[in-house]
Amino acid sequence: MIRISREHYTYYYDRNNEPVATVSVGDQVIFETLDCWGDQLKTDKDRVDSINMSYMNPNTGPVFVEGAEPGDILVVKILDIKCEDHGVLALIPNEGVLQQYVKAPITKIVEIKDGKTIFSDELVIENKPMVGTIGTTPVGRIPTGLIGDHGGNMDCPAVRIGSTLYLPVFVHGALLQMGDVHANMGDGEICIGVECGAEVIVEIADIIKDRCIPSPMIETDENWYTTANAPVLEEAIRIATKRMADFLSEKLGISLEDATFLISIVGNVRISQAAQAGYDVAVHVEFPKYVDQRGRLSSF
Ligand code: CA
Ligand code: CA
């Protein structure tokens, strides 16, 4: 197993970043990730307005994937996500859906123990860890805090243990990186997830040469997901839904109209990220595999 230590972090998806390791299809890789605050908030007394915001959202990597070329799809399976023993929550004035009610910054450190987030003695949450920021490197330089067709700060709860990601490749070697793990995060992330350092264990599962996708897709045992981002919610919904309609239409050999019916009947349009933190809204469209009696949705 290849381990990428947390000292190897970056704040950009940048094709000029020096790869920290070279990996091949079949390799398992452990990415040690810092929390989204760059581990700057250690106690409840550390104020979020006193930290250096340019050290936000570090990603571990990038790793160079042997054989991955522009136009390919890199397939990455999330085998495990091991969260550290605490999560860091913070409310920031002028950020988040309820920002007008946030009078002052608040930091709240919560214990993570036995697969649970201990919000208080009485309020305990079963963890569903997910990777907030993951992607291949685009042609242009993009900060790790932003979202795009390369992935990045997607904050999609479907990126969890057992999920398989299909990531478009834009540059030689793909240059995969990730960070911003959440022990828990609800759809929409209305202000923050349970931000934590972690070890993300992935398998470089495949490189697909003869297909292309416009932005990351995610597969779980039960569902397929398409993703999209845009400055306004309606536009992000339209793009992600069209991407699912195109996928279904191709996989099932049906018209765009029939795909539209199916998504409307049994698909779910979900908001990934609407934290109003100065970047795009991200959405994902979920479609269940069981619908196709011929099992055509059981593989990519
Ligand atoms: Ca995030
Ligand atoms: Ca986060």
Side-chain angles (χ1 to χ4, degrees), residues 247-255 296:
F247 176 72
L248 293 176
S249 173
E250 190 190 332
K251 286 295 283 180
L252 304 176
I254 59 175
S255 66
R296 287 168 294 186

Side-chain angles (χ1 to χ4, degrees), residues 57 133 153 155 180 182 189 273 279:
N57 226 46
T133 304
N153 195 10
D155 287 316
D180 186 29
H182 306 132
E189 196 187 18
Q273 159 68 258
Y279 43 83

Side-chain angles (χ1 to χ4, degrees), residues 113-128:
K113 192 177 163 190
D114 301 331
K116 297 184 175 72
T117 294
I118 316 298
F119 191 80
S120 72
D121 288 346
E122 297 171 344
L123 302 169
V124 175
I125 301 150
E126 206 71 52
N127 287 344
K128 289 186 187 161

Side-chain angles (χ1 to χ4, degrees), residues 45-56:
K45 294 196 177 68
D46 293 337
R47 286 171 57 114
V48 69
D49 56 351
S50 69
I51 66 175
N52 188 334
M53 286 311 213
S54 54
Y55 297 158
M56 289 287 293

Side-chain angles (χ1 to χ4, degrees), residues 11-121:
Y11 300 109
Y12 290 91
Y13 286 81
D14 184 340
R15 63 191 308 173
N16 297 314
N17 283 347
E18 196 60 41
V20 299
T22 296
V23 302
S24 303
V25 170
D27 283 345
Q28 294 188 356
V29 189
I30 304 172
F31 287 80
E32 296 178 357
T33 60
L34 297 166
D35 71 27
C36 79
W37 315 106
D39 284 0
Q40 295 178 90
L41 296 171
K42 304 278 190 205
T43 74
D44 290 0
K45 294 196 177 68
D46 293 337
R47 286 171 57 114
V48 69
D49 56 351
S50 69
I51 66 175
N52 188 334
M53 286 311 213
S54 54
Y55 297 158
M56 289 287 293
N57 226 46
N59 273 198
T60 301
V63 302
F64 182 98
V65 183
E66 204 105 56
E69 296 298 338
D72 295 347
I73 298 170
L74 177 65
V75 186
V76 177
K77 183 155 191 183
I78 312 273
L79 301 178
D80 203 1
I81 302 170
K82 294 177 179 163
C83 299
E84 287 187 332
D85 62 1
H86 67 284
V88 182
L89 312 181
L91 280 178
I92 309 170
N94 306 315
E95 273 192 24
V97 170
L98 299 184
Q99 54 184 265
Q100 72 214 76
Y101 306 103
V102 180
K103 304 293 182 225
I106 297 172
T107 301
K108 181 178 173 72
I109 311 283
V110 292
E111 189 184 8
I112 297 174
K113 192 177 163 190
D114 301 331
K116 297 184 175 72
T117 294
I118 316 298
F119 191 80
S120 72
D121 288 346

Side-chain angles (χ1 to χ4, degrees), residues 152-168:
N153 195 10
M154 295 190 289
D155 287 316
C156 180
V159 182
R160 55 180 161 79
I161 299 167
S163 296
T164 300
L165 270 77
Y166 297 79
L167 300 165

